Amino acid sequence: MIRIDSIHIQEFRGIRDLTLEFGGKNFAICGPNGTGKSGVVDALEFVLTGNISRLSGEGTGELSLKEHGPHVDSRSNPEKARVTVKITIPSLKKGVTLERRLSAPTKMLASPASVEIEQVLKYVQSHPEIVLCRRELIRYVLATPGKRADEVQALLHLDQIEHVRVALQKIANTCELPIALA
Amino acid sequence: MTDSTPNSETQDVPTQVFQQFIENLRAAQVSDELVSRLHKVLLEDHLLNEVALRAAVLGEEFR
């Protein structure tokens, strides 16, 4: 779908200024507690979706993107809080730079911009499973097998297939008319 | 008939499954009319409820 080449995080969560070069490869982030590992994950989710699910999910109380997204020293100036990523879209063979600011989280700047690129970015934005935090991963691990299957299906939107399967089965069960063959 | 979302790398899993389903119906020589209605419901209108599917399978008169 997309490969992330690099990320530049400014005044975001607990991070003042950080650039990471991923080179489009898989990467792991490790470090002691409180060093900003989750901030990198949040930044990645934010720039791609405009949201930080850890601030809006279950048990997050009064946390908000606007107030708790910027670095604590930049809360009065959220304009400084921004995330920039350079990505490659293999299917289009194009590199794209994306930027999103906490002062306007719904607006993503893409350069270059085209209909094809916008289509890919919309797809990414519509898939929250691109970023799974530890809490969500643990929930899947601890879920009973039946429940886990349901949750994975919902995560990948596979429940749509099940809805159609069930509906077609009900139609088949109640229908006495043969389906016309050519 | 052409699909509105031709790039498989920008399609989600359900869309790919529904496209394969449509292709299998065509390969099984199911009537073009029925395949067209199912294509419209599943891949164009994204109406995945029983009412819409029943109408697609059986025709509007069975709504």
Side-chain angles (χ1 to χ4, degrees):
Chain A
M1 169 51 91
I2 64 171
R3 289 201 307 260
I4 300 169
D5 299 318
S6 68
I7 185 169
H8 184 199
I9 307 166
Q10 296 168 275
E11 301 295 329
F12 182 89
R13 302 289 285 158
I15 299 170
R16 301 304 304 261
D17 193 302
L18 175 69
T19 299
L20 295 172
E21 299 286 343
F22 300 134
K25 298 178 181 175
N26 294 334
F27 59 92
I29 303 168
C30 60
N33 287 340
T35 53
K37 302 184 297 295
S38 297
V40 175
V41 179
D42 290 344
L44 193 56
E45 180 184 14
F46 173 72
V47 72
L48 294 175
T49 70
N51 187 39
I52 304 174
S53 55
R54 288 201 308 136
L55 297 184
S56 57
E58 184 181 350
T60 52
E62 299 299 320
L63 297 179
S64 73
L65 192 65
K66 186 178 178 184
E67 291 188 17
H68 298 87
H71 188 276
V72 65
D73 292 337
S74 295
R75 284 186 182 162
S76 60
N77 187 8
E79 182 70 22
K80 292 169 64 179
R82 66 184 66 179
V83 181
T84 307
V85 290
K86 291 182 179 177
I87 66 169
T88 298
I89 304 175
S91 60
L92 302 178
K93 297 180 179 173
K94 285 184 178 175
V96 184
T97 299
L98 310 174
E99 180 180 293
R100 201 184 291 267
R101 303 176 185 186
L102 271 163
S103 56
T106 59
K107 185 178 179 182
M108 180 167 66
L109 304 173
S111 176
S114 71
V115 173
E116 291 82 10
I117 290 171
E118 186 180 355
Q119 185 185 22
V120 172
L121 297 178
K122 278 185 177 176
Y123 175 85
V124 171
Q125 191 167 6
S126 68
H127 284 262
E129 70 271 20
I130 57 173
V131 178
L132 293 178
C133 66
R134 185 179 65 170
R135 181 183 62 188
E136 290 168 316
L137 290 172
I138 289 175
R139 198 177 75 212
Y140 290 121
V141 170
L142 296 180
T144 60
K147 178 81 172 168
R148 186 181 305 140
D150 290 343
E151 293 196 2
V152 171
Q153 282 191 14
L155 190 69
L156 298 177
H157 300 179
L158 300 183
D159 49 336
Q160 295 177 10
I161 300 171
E162 181 64 5
H163 290 157
V164 170
R165 188 195 68 78
V166 169
L168 290 175
Q169 187 63 60
K170 285 175 71 175
I171 294 167
N173 290 343
T174 57
C175 179
E176 295 180 357
L177 295 174
I179 296 175
L181 297 177
Chain B
M1 186 188 311
T2 58
D3 296 336
S4 58
T5 49
N7 188 344
S8 64
E9 291 208 41
T10 62
Q11 294 172 343
D12 56 21
V13 175
T15 299
Q16 293 180 45
V17 169
F18 295 147
Q19 279 190 334
Q20 187 61 54
F21 176 51
I22 295 295
E23 289 304 316
N24 288 352
L25 289 176
R26 286 199 184 106
Q29 296 186 314
V30 173
S31 75
D32 289 343
E33 187 182 356
L34 172 54
V35 172
S36 295
R37 290 199 302 260
L38 278 172
H39 184 280
K40 187 171 189 306
V41 167
L42 294 174
L43 295 171
E44 296 173 35
D45 299 339
H46 302 287
L47 295 171
L48 308 182
N49 59 73
E50 185 181 341
V51 173
L53 287 166
R54 186 178 293 276
V57 172
L58 303 177
E60 287 295 323
E61 62 271 27
F62 290 94
R63 245 183 214 278

